[in-house]
Amino acid sequence: MIATEHPLCLGLETSCDETAAAVVSRAGEVLSSVVASQAQLHAQFGGVVPEVAARRHLEASLPVVERALSEAGVRWERISLLAVTRGPGLPAALLVGLAVGKALALARGLPLVGVNHLAGHLYAHALGDPGQNARSLPRPAVGLVVSGSHTDLCLLPAAGGLVLLGTTLDDAAGEALDKVARLLGLGYPGGPALERAAREGDPTRLSLPRPLGLLRGPRQEQPGVVGGQYAFSFSGLKTAVATAFGRDPGLAVPDVAAAFQQAVVDTLVQRTLSAVRDHRVHTVLLAGGVAANGLLRTRLHTELHALGVELRVPPVRYCTDNAAMIAAAGWMAWQQGGAADWDLDVDPGLPLAL
Ligand code: KG4
Ligand code: ZN
């Protein structure tokens, strides 16, 4: 017995190291969200190995889909739409998900849509419990999508669409956290491990630069990135940690973790506040795996609250990679363009767009 009369979408996500499937109604109600993490498999290598990830997606996709249906308490006949991540992500991992999605769509006679994974992260804000109607994204708003491979600041104008304000010029925030965690011997996945270590540390024991202010040079003219003041750069910060750690091995790991986390969070908060002031919005949507970070959530909340701006953060389970967000974005893709053609392809470098 299911709790909704709305049409249902089955979402499938395989862009990195999580095989995920979910059943989400057209009203944004999450009936099930199953995530099979490969973190343990990749931990022995210190990071995601693309071929290993793709092979595991191949093994896990169908069982994860079956579990999503059974946890939702529905049969295939109740599903009206299939949504699958088509990019950005690891090419081989994306290809497995798309092939599985096409095969299921063909076998079950269902329409298929390809979803932008980063739009999916934003659509975590359109999810709700059964009975709640939470489908549309609040507008106007500033969005900050911070994941293992992206750091994107964007504007969601009242009239619709999305304007990319700034992105990272080098490492993504999550990537920098993962690399520094590895340097500190904290293991993989690095972000949560670094956050745990930082809780025991004193961030003032190590002084790190804040790559703030206007960035000059030709990169300012990157298409789709307005000006340089919203651009991010984390690789210098990462190098500063490596240098300091190499020079003074007596530095305590929790102190370094705390100082680095603080520097990353300061940068993310500063750019977000600038965008809020410049575009006079009263809502900020935080999304992506790094949005699970407690310090980032608290700092953004405090600073925005002081400006009378609301911070919206999805529950942690919908910040890190999942398929409920893909299904929610799938409904939007369906509404905008209908079913994809059978020649739908993956796009590993797809930029954030709605
Ligand atoms: O969105 P996501 O699950 O996957 C990608 O699309 O990349 O983001 C993964 C990233 C990783 O870099 C991970 O270390 C980071 O999110 N992350 C965190 C936390 N949880 C996950 N970073 C800081 N603090 C956390 N609690
Ligand atoms: Zn992601």
Side-chain angles (χ1 to χ4, degrees):
M1 184 73 173
I2 56 161
T4 182
E5 293 306 313
H6 296 285
L8 302 179
C9 172
L10 188 126
L12 181 60
E13 154 64 34
T14 65
S15 68
C16 190
D17 63 342
E18 260 97 25
T19 316
V23 177
V24 174
S25 81
R26 198 167 187 156
E29 305 155 295
V30 183
L31 274 69
S32 67
S33 177
V34 177
V35 180
S37 173
Q38 305 179 2
Q40 268 191 321
L41 180 66
H42 297 286
Q44 58 185 307
F45 306 109
V48 180
V49 181
E51 289 74 17
V52 175
R55 183 176 290 260
R56 181 53 67 91
H57 285 310
L58 202 52
E59 293 160 355
S61 290
L62 289 179
V64 164
V65 164
E66 291 301 333
R67 239 182 85 199
L69 288 170
S70 104
E71 287 187 15
V74 296
R75 293 176 183 279
W76 273 108
E77 295 70 47
R78 194 55 183 81
I79 303 294
S80 305
L81 180 67
L82 260 165
V84 59
T85 305
R86 62 176 289 255
L90 303 171
L94 291 166
L95 278 167
V96 171
L98 185 59
V100 171
K102 281 184 181 175
L104 289 172
L106 194 62
R108 301 285 169 186
L110 288 169
L112 177 74
V113 287
V115 169
N116 181 319
H117 178 86
L118 300 169
H121 274 302
L122 279 176
Y123 264 82
H125 287 275
L127 296 171
D129 292 327
Q132 282 180 336
N133 193 335
R135 198 168 73 89
S136 52
L137 292 179
R139 291 172 179 273
V142 159
L144 177 65
V145 182
V146 263
S147 74
S149 51
H150 286 79
T151 310
D152 289 337
L153 191 60
C154 62
L155 177 68
L156 303 182
L162 178 147
V163 180
L164 189 58
L165 298 173
T167 187
T168 183
L169 302 175
D170 39 59
D171 289 352
E175 182 183 1
L177 287 162
D178 290 341
K179 285 178 178 170
V180 168
R182 187 166 3 164
L183 178 84
L184 299 177
L186 294 171
Y188 173 86
L194 192 131
E195 180 176 23
R196 276 193 300 279
R199 278 192 210 120
E200 316 297 321
D202 174 357
T204 64
R205 302 295 279 275
L206 173 65
S207 171
L208 290 172
R210 300 290 186 270
L212 307 180
L214 275 175
L215 291 155
R216 301 180 196 288
R219 278 171 158 168
Q220 271 191 43
E221 278 87 54
Q222 274 187 67
V225 180
V226 183
Q229 77 268 36
Y230 301 122
F232 297 92
S233 168
F234 293 106
S235 79
L237 198 54
K238 185 191 64 193
T239 308
V241 170
T243 309
F245 204 54
R247 200 183 295 135
D248 182 1
L251 271 172
V253 165
D255 293 343
V256 180
F260 183 70
Q261 179 181 237
Q262 183 112 307
V264 170
V265 167
D266 278 354
T267 307
L268 294 171
V269 170
Q270 187 270 349
R271 301 289 196 283
T272 307
L273 292 182
S274 295
V276 162
R277 287 198 190 94
D278 294 351
H279 295 281
R280 299 196 177 86
V281 301
H282 292 99
T283 308
V284 169
L285 307 179
L286 182 60
V290 182
N293 184 269
L295 183 69
L296 177 62
R297 293 161 88 106
T298 313
R299 278 282 313 284
L300 262 182
H301 176 78
T302 310
E303 306 258 356
L304 290 170
H305 187 72
L307 298 176
V309 174
E310 185 195 4
L311 174 68
R312 297 206 188 183
V313 194
V316 169
R317 66 184 179 282
Y318 300 137
C319 287
T320 47
D321 284 351
N322 66 89
M325 66 184 200
I326 300 303
W331 279 120
M332 189 237 358
W334 166 253
Q335 193 180 315
Q336 283 182 347
D341 293 329
W342 288 113
D343 61 0
L344 175 69
D345 204 354
V346 300
D347 185 348
L350 196 63
L352 172 60
L354 287 184

